[in-house]
Amino acid sequence: MRRLIAALLLFASPAAADMVMLGDLHIEAPMLRATAPNAPVAGGFLRIENTGDTGDTLIAASIAGDIARRVELHEMAMNDGVMSMFEVEGGIALPAGEIVVLAPGGLHIMLMGLQEPLVEGDTHSVTLTFAEAGEITLDFPVLSLGEIRAAVEEAGIMGHGDMKHGDDDHSHHGN
């Protein structure tokens, strides 16, 4: 149910217009969160539907240029009442016949060591690497936190911590 709700969230986003297929994977709604100057990190989000009969795994992501020193696959989760973020070991599983959503407050792409801010309205090329389907490079538009929040509110749900994580300090986790 959480994945279905998150999917509805991303469909409300302005980034949700185009779907790309890579084998049995339907990939849509790629987006990056805009950052303040000097922010060290940013989050990347998208929706992946595996329409095939076998599972796959998102094993890596990279961004074109010298924008970030490192890109990792992360998850945010509540642990004993505290929000924590950690790298996903072995990649993000994409079970056969399921939708996996990378969204604020959950699974996401983490851009670390930003060399420049991500500016709302810009677009950056991000390459996704899957264990079975291979690689694909997509354009990820940069959206403001307000646009991301509007998509959440339009869907009628709020994420972990009501998406207040990092509102005042954009240098926090970036997602």
Side-chain angles (χ1 to χ4, degrees):
M1 182 68 176
R2 182 176 146 205
R3 288 182 178 164
L4 175 62
I5 291 171
L8 293 174
L9 155 79
L10 286 181
F11 278 122
S13 161
D18 297 319
M19 179 186 60
V20 176
M21 294 178 63
L22 177 65
D24 290 328
L25 303 179
H26 295 195
I27 305 164
E28 56 192 318
M31 63 182 105
L32 297 170
R33 179 180 166 188
T35 62
N38 301 317
V41 297
F45 316 108
L46 69 151
R47 175 188 186 274
I48 305 167
E49 180 178 5
N50 183 347
T51 63
D53 296 329
T54 59
D56 204 339
T57 304
L58 175 60
I59 56 174
S62 62
I63 190 164
D66 295 328
I67 294 168
R69 289 191 180 135
R70 198 168 70 236
V71 180
E72 297 179 355
L73 303 175
H74 278 212
E75 181 169 16
M76 292 183 78
M78 291 295 289
N79 292 320
D80 297 324
V82 176
M83 181 66 70
S84 63
M85 181 174 58
F86 51 91
E87 187 173 9
V88 178
E89 297 282 330
I92 296 173
L94 306 169
E98 290 195 24
I99 296 169
V100 176
V101 177
L102 282 65
L107 295 167
H108 59 279
I109 297 168
M110 193 70 185
L111 306 177
M112 304 171 77
L114 290 179
Q115 301 300 296
E116 61 186 73
L118 298 183
V119 178
E120 181 182 350
D122 284 356
T123 300
H124 296 281
S125 295
V126 175
T127 300
L128 306 173
T129 304
F130 299 92
E132 301 300 322
E135 285 188 0
I136 188 167
T137 300
L138 303 171
D139 288 334
F140 276 58
V142 179
L143 304 178
S144 70
L145 177 60
E147 289 173 307
I148 294 169
R149 178 172 287 143
V152 170
E153 290 173 0
E154 186 173 321
I157 61 169
M158 293 304 282
H160 296 294
D162 289 335
M163 287 208 44
K164 293 179 184 170
H165 203 60
D167 282 358
D168 298 322
D169 176 11
H170 292 289
S171 67
H172 197 55
H173 290 300
N175 118 33

